[in-house]
Amino acid sequence: MRFDVLTLFPDMVEGPLRHSMIGRALEAGHVELGVHDIRAHGLGRHRTVDDAPFGGGSGMVMRVDVLDPAIAAVRRPDSHVVLFEPSGTRFDQRMAERFATLPHLVLVCGHYEGIDARVREHLVDETVSIGDYVLTGGEYAALVVVDATARLLPGVLGNATSASDESFSSSGTLEYPHYTRPREYRGWAVPDILLSGNHGRVDAWRREQARARTEAVRPDLAREKS
Ligand code: ADE
C-alpha cells in the first residue's frame, strides 16, 4: 500500500514516520510513503498558498487552485483522496480497516482557518477528523491515520496475530491488561492466574477483564456490542 501526504510542513510528517514499527515497515518495503510540500504548487514568486476569505472574516483560506495541482500530481486512477478537517467523519478502527484494503491513500492536510470548500466538493473522496477538537492543521491527523492503517498491513507488525486481538478489534471491547517480569515490584504483584499455566482459565480471566474495563471506561462501546 502507498500513502502520499500533502502538507505545508513536510518535516512534521516525514520525521515521526521514519521511526518505530512504521519506519521499519517503510525500510522493508511493506509500505510506501511520499510526503509532498503543497507550497511547491504555490502561486507567484512567494509561492502563495492562501488568501483572504470572500465575504470577509478573520484568517486565511487555502486556495483551490493550489490544492488542485498538488492533488493531481500524486493522484492515480486507484487513489482514495482524504482531506483532514474537524468537520470530517470521525476516524476509528473500522475506518483504518477500510483504508488498509486500499492500494493508494492520498492524505491532504489543511491549515489556516480552513480550505476553500471547492476542494471538499470536487477534489477529494472523503473528509476525516481524528476527534472532536480543533488542531492547527491536518499533520497530526495524517500521522494517526498512517500509523493506525499501516500497522494492519501484512508484514508490518511482524507478528500476524497481534493486530486482531486488541482493543476495538472485532470483539468490540478494550484490551485486557498485560503483565511481564518481575512477578512482584514494590509489592505490586502480577495476578496469580496468569502464572497458573491454565490457558483456559487465563483466556476466561482476560475476557472478563476486557469486558469489565470496557463497561467501566467506555460504556458506549459496551452498549454498542450488546
Ligand atoms: N484539522 C484541524 N482539526 C482537525 C481534526 N480534529 N481532525 C483532523 N484534521 C483536523
Side-chain angles (χ1 to χ4, degrees):
M1 176 173 185
R2 181 175 175 87
F3 298 87
D4 281 291
V5 181
L6 310 187
T7 169
L8 289 169
F9 302 96
D11 292 347
M12 278 180 75
V13 177
E14 186 85 45
L17 291 175
R18 297 291 166 194
H19 296 275
S20 186
M21 304 295 286
I22 306 303
R24 236 175 293 162
L26 288 166
E27 272 172 34
H30 296 304
V31 185
E32 288 175 34
L33 172 70
V35 181
H36 310 271
D37 192 346
I38 293 170
R39 202 167 291 281
H41 301 274
L43 305 172
R45 200 158 57 84
H46 298 292
R47 300 236 159 257
T48 302
V49 297
D50 58 345
D51 210 332
F54 279 126
S58 64
M60 300 291 270
V61 177
M62 281 176 84
R63 295 177 61 120
V64 63
D65 53 352
V66 171
L67 283 164
D68 187 19
I71 293 168
V74 298
R75 194 194 264 285
R76 320 189 305 210
D78 59 355
S79 299
H80 188 73
V81 183
V82 167
L83 172 68
F84 290 115
E85 287 188 313
S87 61
T89 306
R90 181 95 66 88
F91 185 67
D92 61 9
Q93 189 66 22
R94 219 170 303 162
M95 196 183 284
E97 286 164 9
R98 171 162 62 87
F99 286 169
T101 67
L102 303 172
H104 187 212
L105 200 57
V106 176
L107 303 174
V108 183
C109 302
H111 248 276
Y112 307 115
E113 288 308 299
I115 295 190
D116 190 299
R118 288 167 289 185
V119 174
R120 185 192 322 120
E121 289 160 7
H122 303 290
L123 297 177
V124 307
D125 299 303
E126 184 169 8
T127 63
V128 170
S129 162
I130 59 164
D132 289 342
Y133 38 78
V134 180
L135 302 165
T136 56
E139 284 73 18
Y140 297 111
L143 294 173
V144 165
V145 167
V146 172
D147 190 289
T149 304
R151 64 186 288 289
L152 299 175
L153 299 172
V156 171
L157 285 192
N159 176 358
T161 61
S162 53
S164 60
D165 66 82
E166 62 195 348
S167 300
F168 303 115
S169 67
S170 52
S171 75
T173 62
L174 302 180
E175 213 174 356
Y176 56 76
H178 303 277
Y179 297 89
T180 187
R181 283 189 280 268
R183 284 170 72 144
E184 189 173 319
Y185 179 71
R186 292 177 56 188
W188 307 325
V190 171
D192 283 336
I193 188 151
L194 296 177
L195 311 168
S196 69
N198 183 329
H199 295 301
R201 285 187 58 213
V202 167
D203 282 348
W205 180 86
R206 285 176 167 167
R207 271 197 304 276
E208 171 52 23
Q209 291 285 312
R211 189 205 60 74
R213 179 154 180 78
T214 306
E215 187 70 47
V217 304
R218 290 294 303 275
D220 56 318
L221 283 181
R223 269 197 308 279
E224 217 172 274
K225 224 201 141 193
S226 58

